[in-house]
Amino acid sequence: MDSEADRVLATARQLVPGIQATFGRICEVVLHDFRRGDHSVVAIAGDVTHREVGSPMSAIGLSLLRQGETAEDKLNYVTRLPDGRVMKSTTMLLRLADGTVTGALCINLDVTQLRMSSMLLNEVIGGNGEAAEPQPVTFGSDAETVIESVLAEVEGQLGKPLTHLATAEWLSVFKTLDERGVFQLRRAVPMLAGRLGISRASVYNYIGRLRDETPAGG
């Protein structure tokens, strides 16, 4: 515990059980150490996403990690888990004195029953407002699950399997994967190569082309 990052994370760790206890069983609080990459979860209280210490961050977290010092806290966003439950979350970034992002403290609330009650009450009192459709998100205990969830999302957007893409479409796909922070995971290249049916050299080639297209300082 001698580095500034360790001290910041140690302070945040003390908040995890208290926040979770305040909201009860519908709440999960997760502490991420961004230095740990594929195993970023270093403390967790509650069981909304069924993760444990050593699990990776979601695609949302990876996207924030990719943004580096320009990333901003993501507050009160709503997502839908693969099993249909709806979750309201807040992700607060942890920074060093120089602005470097070193981790994140995340609060996840399972609001499925609350939303159902709200919709029923709204119907009874004659309201016609509709809640925004939650963004699908997958939380996994390993990097493969997180990457697969992003690939499934991209396939859904394209309307066809990634293995059936034309050559001209690959760069756009890799740009989306990069924006979602997939390449922050250390094992991303071999996993993508196997899943997409291309060589590791091809994956590195597309990543290199993306970097070449990024303006200096951008």
Side-chain angles (χ1 to χ4, degrees):
M1 288 294 177
D2 56 351
S3 74
E4 183 184 358
D6 288 332
R7 292 192 294 273
V8 169
L9 287 160
T11 299
R13 186 189 295 268
Q14 298 177 54
L15 304 176
V16 172
I19 296 174
Q20 193 280 328
T22 299
F23 291 98
R25 62 184 179 86
I26 68 168
C27 177
E28 172 188 88
V29 182
V30 186
L31 178 63
H32 290 280
D33 182 346
F34 283 176
R35 299 171 300 174
R36 295 176 177 265
D38 298 11
H39 310 284
S40 66
V41 176
V42 293
I44 187 167
D47 188 29
V48 173
T49 62
H50 308 315
R51 284 176 295 173
E52 57 188 18
V53 171
S55 295
M57 66 189 79
S58 69
I60 292 173
L62 289 171
S63 178
L64 291 173
L65 176 59
R66 180 188 176 277
Q67 294 172 40
E69 295 182 15
T70 64
E72 298 180 353
D73 293 346
K74 193 172 176 64
L75 308 177
N76 294 324
Y77 58 96
V78 180
T79 54
R80 185 181 299 279
L81 297 169
D83 61 8
R85 288 178 297 138
V86 177
M87 189 171 69
K88 182 178 180 182
S89 304
T90 283
T91 299
M92 295 171 286
L93 298 171
L94 304 175
R95 298 179 183 272
L96 305 184
D98 63 2
T100 300
V101 177
T102 191
L105 183 66
C106 304
I107 303 172
N108 301 316
L109 299 177
D110 183 345
V111 296
T112 308
Q113 296 299 322
L114 293 174
R115 282 172 62 93
M116 291 177 63
S117 298
S118 176
M119 291 169 62
L120 177 60
L121 181 60
N122 191 57
E123 182 178 336
V124 170
I125 64 178
N128 57 6
E130 296 184 358
E133 181 62 25
Q135 172 189 348
V137 64
T138 297
F139 296 89
S141 58
D142 53 62
E144 288 87 347
T145 303
V146 175
I147 290 178
E148 187 60 41
S149 72
V150 177
L151 292 175
E153 179 184 339
V154 174
E155 283 184 330
Q157 293 172 349
L158 293 173
K160 58 183 175 180
L162 294 177
T163 51
H164 294 174
L165 294 182
T167 302
E169 296 175 292
W170 278 111
L171 190 60
S172 176
V173 168
F174 272 83
K175 182 177 180 180
T176 299
L177 295 176
D178 187 35
E179 290 172 347
R180 297 304 300 274
V182 167
F183 301 125
Q184 304 297 320
L185 297 170
R186 288 174 294 179
R187 300 195 302 277
V189 170
M191 280 188 276
L192 285 172
R195 171 65 166 75
L196 301 178
I198 60 179
S199 68
R200 296 187 185 187
S202 295
V203 175
Y204 282 118
N205 178 58
Y206 283 115
I207 295 174
R209 290 173 61 183
L210 287 176
R211 300 296 181 261
D212 291 341
E213 291 184 0
T214 302

